[in-house]
Amino acid sequence: MTTTQADTWGLHESQFWLRGKQPEQRVHHAADLGFWNVYGHPEAEEVLRDPATYSSDTTRVIPKEMLEDQGVDLEAMSAGNLLQLDPPLHNKMRKLVSRAFTPKVVADLEPRIAAVTNEMLDAAGSSGRLELVEDLAYPLPVIVIAELLGVPASDRHLFKGWVDKLFDSSEQFSLKEQTEGRQESVKKSLEGQKSLVEYLGKHVDERRKQPREDLLTKLVEAEVDGEKLTRNEVVNFANVLLLAGHITTTMLLGNAVLCLDTHPEWDERVRADRSLVPPAIEESLRYLSPFAAVARTTTREVELGGSTVPADQMLMIWVAAANRDDRVFAEPDTFDPLRDPNPHLAFGRGIHFCIGAPLARLEGRVALNILFDRYPALRTIPGEPPKFQINPNMTGVRELPLTTA
Ligand code: HEM
């Protein structure tokens, strides 16, 4: 593997997914953690395309005592959580939210995304410095998703506090020994989750009394098979959208800018030919995949990549590693926006393929073009390296100081 600037900043060292570089590790049993890692691209696709064998309901295999010890009310937390549902319920719920994310709804957001981007950059001032995450990459996607849902975008500092609690741990998830560090991290994450759920619950109750023109009201009024969603379902549904809808896109924006910073020859080409913005975003999603891993559980014993995985096992599908599989991507550690095809798995595959992908891509395209228009040069600052997410399941910057001079 080639050494890049990102290696010197320590990004790769901290990334669990790079362990998958050896062929014999493409499907790897992490006995100490009690689950399986899937690092290979064909193997990851095989899993993601077969929901009957690989269920998204991870609660099936987490020992009940472990959840009880941590005070998790499974029933309340799982209802309506699209990410954890299997067919046939998944299809029904997904249809609901798909109606809210039609191509037209997303395309119509373009002027608003541009306006918010410009507002944020105006507010950041003209000091010659930007902290890209704080000044743009965090607020933009949060404002967009909050406005869609119908919760006040001005509450974003609250969401940030709660979401930081969810992901502010470098502990790898484990089904085995719950060390103090792991317990602490789960406790913090549950606190964040609880606050978000309470917050959304209040808004859902308000919409029941007083409908508005927003996505929360649509969810409250929606019917699946003639039945309305329960309060828990609406809240969890909104929770997934709010969470999935911002932290990942924040990383996408930061990572795309960082990829261009570390590859100045591409920065120059993309700035000169804006038709390269979308492929540069796709390549940055492959190269630094924000949502590094997704989880599944086996419903039966199955052969995968030469290993026999028993029934009721948890698997972590490292899409970030699969996106560097040299069986699928030539020179996988080279950032090349002209790679064609680029079948990266950063948005998943199959029935759970990311519903927000068109929105994330649009936000990326609009924001990157505006950054190029406003700042002829945008560079990392010597002595002020970016900081990365510490959660091993995420690959992305969380602080990116830049000079605009
Ligand atoms: C699902 C990544 C942005 C909403 C997923 C999955 C991935 C992903 C990998 C599949 C999970 C699985 O298979 O278990 C990303 C990345 C994003 C992004 C990398 C930004 C760069 C968004 C946005 C929204 C969103 C902007 C909403 C506005 C969702 C939802 C699902 C999902 C609701 C669940 C779909 C289902 O289970 O059927 N996302 N996402 N995501 N994403 Fe995204």
Side-chain angles (χ1 to χ4, degrees):
M1 181 176 150
T2 46
T3 302
T4 64
Q5 178 66 65
D7 295 305
T8 18
W9 283 325
L11 165 68
H12 290 157
E13 268 159 48
S14 62
Q15 298 298 308
F16 194 74
W17 52 267
L18 275 184
R19 294 187 204 163
K21 285 281 165 190
Q22 306 305 320
E24 65 279 10
Q25 286 199 341
R26 281 174 190 146
V27 176
H28 158 256
H29 187 213
D32 53 334
L33 300 171
F35 61 78
W36 294 70
N37 289 307
V38 179
Y39 295 117
H41 190 286
E43 293 80 8
E45 265 212 286
E46 193 176 328
V47 172
L48 298 177
R49 288 197 185 280
D50 182 0
T53 308
Y54 302 99
S55 162
S56 285
D57 180 4
T58 49
T59 60
R60 298 173 54 247
V61 303
I62 301 182
K64 296 275 169 292
E65 323 74 78
M66 188 171 145
L67 294 168
E68 278 161 18
D69 282 356
Q70 290 158 353
V72 178
D73 180 351
L74 252 196
E75 192 83 355
M77 275 179 85
S78 327
N81 181 342
L82 201 58
L83 281 162
Q84 299 249 331
L85 293 178
D86 291 327
L89 192 53
H90 174 265
N91 315 7
K92 290 183 193 164
M93 297 289 267
R94 172 124 182 167
K95 257 195 222 143
L96 258 183
V97 83
S98 304
R99 282 184 224 142
F101 275 92
T102 60
K104 178 164 168 26
V105 169
V106 175
D108 285 351
L109 288 170
E110 181 160 351
R112 180 68 189 137
I113 294 170
V116 175
T117 303
N118 278 312
E119 259 170 52
M120 293 293 118
L121 295 175
D122 287 345
S126 51
S127 64
R129 274 181 70 102
L130 277 184
E131 201 287 86
L132 191 83
V133 175
E134 192 183 352
D135 292 336
L136 179 66
Y138 181 76
L140 172 66
V142 179
I143 292 173
V144 172
I145 193 71
E147 287 182 356
L148 260 182
L149 276 171
V151 299
S154 54
D155 285 346
R156 62 180 180 272
H157 61 282
L158 294 175
F159 315 146
K160 181 156 181 10
W162 301 327
V163 172
D164 282 352
K165 278 192 181 172
L166 289 183
F167 300 113
D168 196 17
S169 167
S170 55
E171 295 280 347
Q172 177 58 37
F173 171 80
S174 172
L175 283 170
K176 294 279 182 186
E177 194 203 351
Q178 296 309 305
T179 57
E180 228 170 86
R182 283 194 187 118
Q183 277 171 345
E184 191 48 37
S185 124
V186 173
K187 194 170 146 240
K188 248 200 326 194
S189 148
L190 286 172
E191 275 168 23
Q193 188 71 353
K194 199 165 157 254
S195 309
L196 251 174
V197 162
E198 275 171 17
Y199 173 88
L200 287 168
K202 279 188 202 141
H203 281 279
V204 167
D205 294 340
E206 272 173 36
R207 295 311 180 281
R208 281 190 203 280
K209 285 187 222 133
Q210 210 153 25
R212 290 195 208 160
E213 276 297 309
D214 59 26
L215 183 51
L216 268 188
T217 307
K218 282 197 192 121
L219 292 174
V220 164
E221 290 176 349
E223 289 189 5
V224 181
D225 289 347
E227 273 184 48
K228 289 226 157 77
L229 300 181
T230 64
R231 182 179 186 272
N232 273 347
E233 283 171 334
V234 177
V235 168
N236 290 336
F237 216 127
N239 191 9
V240 170
L241 285 175
L242 191 61
L243 271 181
H246 81 277
I247 177 100
T248 46
T249 312
T250 300
M251 288 188 271
L252 159 76
L253 293 174
N255 292 353
V257 169
L258 187 63
C259 283
L260 293 173
D261 175 75
T262 46
H263 299 85
E265 67 291 1
W266 278 112
D267 186 54
E268 204 174 305
R269 273 181 83 171
V270 178
R271 279 173 179 271
D273 175 0
R274 299 300 178 84
S275 70
L276 291 176
V277 168
I281 289 173
E282 291 310 302
E283 180 63 349
S284 83
L285 282 164
R286 183 194 71 83
Y287 193 77
L288 298 176
S289 311
F291 210 158
V294 300
R296 295 291 187 271
T297 59
T298 48
T299 57
R300 60 175 174 89
E301 182 183 283
V302 63
E303 289 295 312
L304 181 67
S307 296
T308 305
V309 184
D312 301 324
Q313 296 290 301
M314 186 180 280
L315 300 133
M316 285 284 178
I317 320 302
W318 294 91
V319 296
N323 287 339
R324 301 285 189 106
D325 188 332
D326 60 8
R327 290 172 295 170
V328 175
F329 302 99
E331 296 191 37
D333 298 322
T334 300
F335 176 77
D336 176 10
L338 289 184
R339 176 181 297 279
D340 185 22
N342 186 352
H344 69 73
L345 299 177
F347 288 121
R349 267 292 180 283
I351 63 164
H352 290 276
F353 182 83
C354 177
I355 253 179
L359 175 59
R361 287 174 165 142
L362 178 66
E363 288 177 345
R365 174 169 65 75
V366 170
L368 216 53
N369 271 305
I370 293 177
L371 284 168
F372 288 161
D373 291 342
R374 292 181 67 128
Y375 311 111
L378 211 49
R379 288 270 162 267
T380 42
I381 305 169
E384 289 186 60
K387 290 200 178 123
F388 297 95
Q389 294 288 344
I390 58 169
N391 189 299
N393 285 33
M394 313 228 140
T395 315
V397 294
R398 62 182 178 140
E399 275 178 40
L400 183 55
L402 296 173
T403 163
T404 63

